[in-house]
Amino acid sequence: MNPLNTVNGTIVAGVVLAVLIGLLTMDIAFNTASFLVWIHVLAGITWIGLLYYFNFVQLPALAEAASDEGGPGGAGITKYVAPRALWWFRWGAVVTWVSGAAYLLHLGLFDDAFMLGLNEGAPATAMVIGVGAWLGTIMLLNVWVLIWPNQKKVLGMVEATAEEINKARRVAFLASRTNTLLSVPMLMSMVGFGHGGFFI
């Protein structure tokens, strides 16, 4: 059973992955303050909010609209809402990644983070922020390499056969669900860097 096939499975898998990464990259003790900050940040990030909107609101609403015989259908969402939301989504991903990379450069941690702190002389916290940076990088690539090109086919922005559209729909769906899963440990790693992990 693939956990990415359901929202609940994706979230549970994301939490499990966050806990595993926390156990592997931080000492084993609970830090309540960092845990609460992680939950707060997880709930409040605007960029991730769009990812969650697609997975929790738009996709289920479009499925209901498609099954509602005689109903309004999903044309309004696919024609007007989805293209605009995808514009903010993909450029939000770029700004998030670039500003994070600029912050790491400012701190002198860019190389240490992307080497996961395994290079000589790297501070211990480089692994924590590095895991977050790598997860964010994977998510950025999913947005631009998998989600956006396939959504253009699904939304009719580029020509595609019915078979190509069905395949594009599945690829975009799985990439989006993967990003939802990865967002949970990614945010935990980012908060853990600045405030301490909730396992130490």
Side-chain angles (χ1 to χ4, degrees):
M1 180 148 57
N2 187 340
L4 299 178
N5 286 327
T6 66
V7 172
N8 288 342
T10 302
I11 294 299
V12 169
V15 170
V16 168
L17 184 58
V19 169
L20 289 174
I21 290 171
L23 291 172
L24 292 171
T25 61
M26 302 174 214
D27 291 335
I28 302 173
F30 192 79
N31 181 323
T32 303
S34 288
F35 176 75
L36 294 174
V37 169
W38 175 56
I39 296 297
H40 174 73
V41 171
L42 182 65
I45 301 295
T46 302
W47 177 62
I48 300 302
L50 279 169
L51 175 67
Y52 293 172
Y53 160 77
F54 287 128
N55 280 273
F56 305 154
V57 178
Q58 183 171 301
L59 188 63
L62 285 172
E64 281 185 40
S67 67
D68 184 6
E69 291 182 28
I77 292 173
T78 57
K79 184 175 180 180
Y80 300 105
V81 177
R84 181 172 295 168
L86 283 164
W87 186 92
W88 285 101
F89 177 69
R90 66 185 191 272
W91 289 108
V94 168
V95 171
T96 300
W97 193 92
V98 168
S99 62
Y103 181 64
L104 289 174
L105 283 168
H106 174 74
L107 294 177
L109 288 176
F110 187 88
D111 292 340
D112 293 337
F114 280 94
M115 292 293 295
L116 297 174
L118 300 174
N119 49 328
E120 191 174 330
T125 56
M127 181 177 280
V128 176
I129 195 67
V131 168
W134 274 111
L135 292 174
T137 301
I138 292 165
M139 292 169 65
L140 173 72
L141 292 172
N142 278 346
V143 168
W144 283 92
V145 175
L146 298 174
I147 296 171
W148 176 235
N150 283 292
Q151 281 295 346
K152 289 192 289 187
K153 292 176 186 173
V154 172
L155 297 173
M157 297 173 157
V158 298
E159 284 189 40
T161 66
E163 185 178 325
E164 290 171 330
I165 292 170
N166 285 334
K167 182 181 177 185
R169 185 175 281 117
R170 184 68 179 164
V171 170
F173 169 79
L174 288 174
S176 182
R177 284 290 167 88
T178 298
N179 276 6
T180 302
L181 182 152
L182 295 178
S183 72
V184 179
M186 183 270 300
L187 289 169
M188 184 272 306
S189 296
M190 297 294 181
V191 172
F193 170 72
H195 302 282
F198 54 82
F199 292 108
I200 57 173

